[in-house]
Every structure is written in C-alpha cells, then in structure tokens.
Amino acid sequence: IPGVERLSGVTALAAGLRFVCALQRGGSVQCVGENRLGTLGDGTSVDREQPVAVTGLPGAAAGLSAAYQNVCA
C-alpha cells in the first residue's frame, strides 16, 4: 500500500482490504490507502497515499481492529 512507509510513531497497525490504520503514541489514529467508502475516517472518500488523521474520535484510542473495508478504534 503506497504511503505505509510514511506512518510514524506507530504502536499498533490494523489492515483491511487495500488500507492500513496506525495507532500512534498518545492515542491518535492515522490511515492510508483506499478510501472509496470513507474507510480512512477523514470525512472523505478520496484515496490517500499520505497518512491522514482519523477525525471525530471522542478521545485517545486504546487499540485498533480492522476487517474487509472497516476499522474500529
């Protein structure tokens, strides 16, 4: 997946179909890859080759889990 190498400060990864999300130190989440269904959590459906921050989380995430075209924090 293009852009995965740009993720930094990663404490955990979760991968689905053509996307990866990273839990970062401090509990923020960034994702990169295919986003046609809004999978990356940035409020768009634009595919990303640069990591984007997940928006709308109520606080720091403690973990990640991904499946086919979705991810939970």
Side-chain angles (χ1 to χ4, degrees), residues 8-24:
S8 63
V10 175
T11 61
L13 289 173
L17 179 67
R18 295 188 283 273
F19 75 93
V20 174
C21 292
L23 177 63
Q24 298 179 302

Side-chain angles (χ1 to χ4, degrees), residues 36-57:
R36 68 179 161 177
L37 299 174
T39 305
L40 303 184
D42 67 344
T44 75
S45 59
V46 177
D47 294 348
R48 305 292 185 169
E49 289 188 12
Q50 298 282 339
V52 292
V54 172
T55 60
L57 294 176

